[in-house]
Amino acid sequence: MTTELDVTLPDGRTVHAYDTGGTGLPVLWQHGTPNIGAPPVPLLAAAERLGLRWVGHDRPGYGGSTPLRGRAVGSTAFDVAAVADALGLDRFALMGHSGGGAHAVACGALLPDRVLAVVDVSGPAPYPAAGLDWFAGMGPAGAGSLRAALGGRTVKEEFEATVEEMPDFTAGDEEALAGEWSWFLDVVRPALTGGPAALIDDDLALVAPWGADPAAVAAPTLVVHGADDRVIPAAHGEWMASQIPRADLWVVPSHGHISVLGHGVAALEWLADVTR
């Protein structure tokens, strides 16, 4: 059973958090864009079997968390630390999907004394990333959205007010979303009830300086990417794994941005093994 709590930060902001409880290794879930931070239901049973405890939180502006205009990807480390402190968690692992993968990596870089391991699934590399053609292989919806973010807040707001394109999902992604990963509807819908402001903040942060260097991640890290991903192409995961000193890379053939989460149980098994 997942319980919810509000954590008040020193700056007066509220961070809304989620906790499955228990005494196992905490895995702090970093949600994608646009989602709220409830832990991934399709992976709850595997986590329980492996003795893992899910903790999540809504990034600023999503769900019950106070907006933070101009936030950086690295800003999430302060919120993660505050949630962990409120729950009495000294050390923990992180797992993130999509935009959440970037936030998980940033926490690994900025909280080296607390982070035991990181799993980055379908996450983007920083913009710009030396040697990476950042937009190559990205579908028109994602590329258009992130190019708009590069234009600044006003351009991004105008884009979100008029965009009609659907995400660049593969047929396998659509199949996953029609199956057990239909769970995403439960975290996307509430993330958008207040409009696109938090999504805009997320995308602006992704293409701005992160305030965190992937090369500073000291913990063992698993980078998982679908070879056919058109939302965040696999080259991003390959670049990220090349920068993180202790990274393992899984590029999964014939999988896209969502369908690769079918390997989420194996990723949790990796995490449980590497943190023993």
Side-chain angles (χ1 to χ4, degrees), residues 65-102:
S65 292
T66 308
L68 180 61
R69 192 179 178 98
R71 57 183 164 89
V73 170
S75 301
T76 201
F78 300 100
D79 295 359
V80 163
V83 170
D85 289 345
L87 293 172
L89 308 176
D90 181 31
R91 306 193 76 190
F92 45 82
L94 293 130
M95 182 173 180
H97 174 248
S98 193

Side-chain angles (χ1 to χ4, degrees), residues 163-266:
V163 65
E164 296 181 358
E165 286 187 291
M166 297 299 290
D168 305 295
F169 291 146
T170 65
D173 290 333
E174 298 288 356
E175 184 178 348
L177 287 166
E180 64 175 346
W181 289 99
S182 63
W183 164 81
F184 271 110
L185 296 177
D186 296 333
V187 292
V188 170
R189 286 171 176 158
L192 292 173
T193 55
L199 177 158
I200 289 168
D201 286 338
D202 262 0
D203 283 355
L204 291 174
L206 283 178
V207 299
W210 284 10
D213 183 358
V217 179
T221 300
L222 176 63
V223 178
V224 183
H225 227 103
D228 295 343
D229 193 334
R230 298 179 68 241
V231 178
I232 301 293
H236 284 243
E238 293 167 348
W239 185 94
M240 192 73 85
S242 76
Q243 302 299 304
I244 298 171
R246 301 173 64 190
D248 291 340
L249 174 65
W250 296 355
V251 176
V252 186
S254 305
H255 279 278
H257 196 68
I258 303 295
S259 67
V260 75
L261 284 164
H263 291 262
V265 171

Side-chain angles (χ1 to χ4, degrees), residues 69-138:
R69 192 179 178 98
R71 57 183 164 89
V73 170
S75 301
T76 201
F78 300 100
D79 295 359
V80 163
V83 170
D85 289 345
L87 293 172
L89 308 176
D90 181 31
R91 306 193 76 190
F92 45 82
L94 293 130
M95 182 173 180
H97 174 248
S98 193
H103 290 80
V105 170
C107 288
L110 295 172
L111 301 171
D113 295 334
R114 303 187 70 170
V115 173
L116 295 169
V118 177
V119 178
D120 168 13
V121 183
S122 305
Y127 181 90
L132 174 67
D133 186 346
W134 208 78
F135 287 102
M138 199 176 288

